[in-house]
Amino acid sequence: MDYSKPETVSLDDLRNRIKSTDLVPSRAVLLEDLDAVFEKLAQHGIETWLDLQKAIKNPKRMEFFSKSSAIDLQYLVLLRREVEGYAPKPFDLKAIDWVPQEVIKKLLDGGITTSDQLFSKFNDINSRNNFADKTGIDRGMIVYLVNLATLCRVQWVSPTAGRMLMEAGYDNCQKLSAADGNELFEAMDRVNENGKYFKGTIGLRDIKRLIEAAKYCL
């Protein structure tokens, strides 16, 4: 299934993903009465993730749906936060400030301004090579940027986290999804040596969450 297309994700898909996910502590309450809640959603005409988005897309509609479905309002708030994370918002290519900015400018001039546009336009080798040859951008740089955009479709992966993953040798979702948690933890720790990207470390449990989330982007 494609989590960038909520109309293709069924209610059962969402329920099964929540059940199999190691939820962060603040959202663990979602597992309580999960089946009963999703049964109520189905009874009120919710068949896909898109239906759910429409039903609880803002506080006013969420409150109305809570009353009509008898689902706790706070539960719906947490549910929305969890499932919206399954399709991270695209980032502006201007946020990639560590590559030559003339490359970014050529992409912007070509009408490619966000990561989702980059992913969809250059999802095959011919389109990447044609654009690279036309603009003079190194083919390897196009591949790097497309891989970064692809990794950032994974829940929890920001542009900086994507950069770190690529530096650690996990430059696509296939490699990330097949990673050993301990090995990836150590690799990311090496990449961030001396606080190169941020202070502290990414916890092993969070690393394992990244690996599991990547499996939904294959």
Side-chain angles (χ1 to χ4, degrees):
M1 76 205 67
D2 186 348
Y3 276 86
S4 68
K5 298 177 180 178
E7 69 276 9
T8 69
V9 180
S10 72
L11 200 58
D12 281 341
D13 291 332
L14 287 179
R15 171 166 39 190
N16 291 336
R17 180 163 180 176
I18 292 171
K19 281 185 175 181
S20 63
T21 294
D22 178 19
L23 299 173
V24 297
S26 62
R27 298 178 191 171
V29 68
L30 290 174
L31 296 176
E32 298 178 10
D33 299 321
L34 181 68
D35 289 332
V37 167
F38 271 68
E39 183 62 31
K40 289 181 180 179
L41 291 174
Q43 290 171 356
H44 284 76
I46 306 299
E47 297 180 353
T48 67
W49 184 13
L50 181 61
D51 294 333
L52 182 60
Q53 286 179 325
K54 291 178 179 178
I56 59 175
K57 70 178 182 179
N58 57 48
K60 185 176 181 179
R61 297 199 67 168
M62 191 180 297
E63 184 175 0
F64 174 82
F65 189 78
S66 173
K67 291 178 179 178
S68 63
S69 65
I71 299 174
D72 180 73
L73 178 60
Q74 188 57 35
Y75 189 101
L76 290 176
V77 170
L78 292 177
L79 178 62
R80 180 185 177 188
R81 289 176 184 169
E82 175 62 23
V83 299
E84 287 301 310
Y86 296 162
K89 292 182 179 180
F91 63 85
D92 192 318
L93 295 189
K94 292 179 181 178
I96 311 174
D97 57 5
W98 60 90
V99 303
Q101 289 306 290
E102 59 266 26
V103 172
I104 301 301
K105 184 178 185 304
K106 288 178 179 179
L107 289 167
L108 298 178
D109 290 344
I112 304 164
T113 62
T114 62
S115 58
D116 59 335
Q117 293 172 342
L118 184 65
F119 173 80
S120 61
K121 188 173 180 64
F122 300 134
N123 204 22
D124 66 90
I125 190 169
N126 288 332
S127 61
R128 292 196 295 266
N129 289 344
N130 288 339
F131 187 82
D133 295 343
K134 178 181 177 181
T135 60
I137 298 175
D138 180 76
R139 288 185 177 186
M141 176 58 70
I142 292 289
V143 172
Y144 174 89
L145 293 171
V146 171
N147 285 347
L148 177 65
T150 302
L151 284 171
C152 289
R153 297 172 74 239
V154 177
Q155 186 182 19
W156 311 116
V157 178
S158 66
T160 297
R163 180 185 183 184
M164 292 176 65
L165 284 166
M166 295 179 72
E167 189 172 333
Y170 299 84
D171 59 359
N172 58 54
C173 292
Q174 286 79 9
K175 291 180 182 178
L176 179 56
S177 67
D180 174 84
N182 291 301
E183 291 179 2
L184 179 55
F185 172 79
E186 293 175 0
M188 293 290 275
D189 204 38
R190 287 194 299 271
V191 167
N192 194 45
E193 186 177 7
N194 298 321
K196 179 180 177 181
Y197 291 104
F198 61 88
K199 294 181 180 179
T201 61
I202 302 175
L204 177 59
R205 191 170 180 179
D206 288 333
I207 288 292
K208 291 181 177 179
R209 288 187 177 111
L210 289 182
I211 294 171
E212 290 303 311
K215 295 176 182 179
Y216 292 95
C217 295
L218 299 177

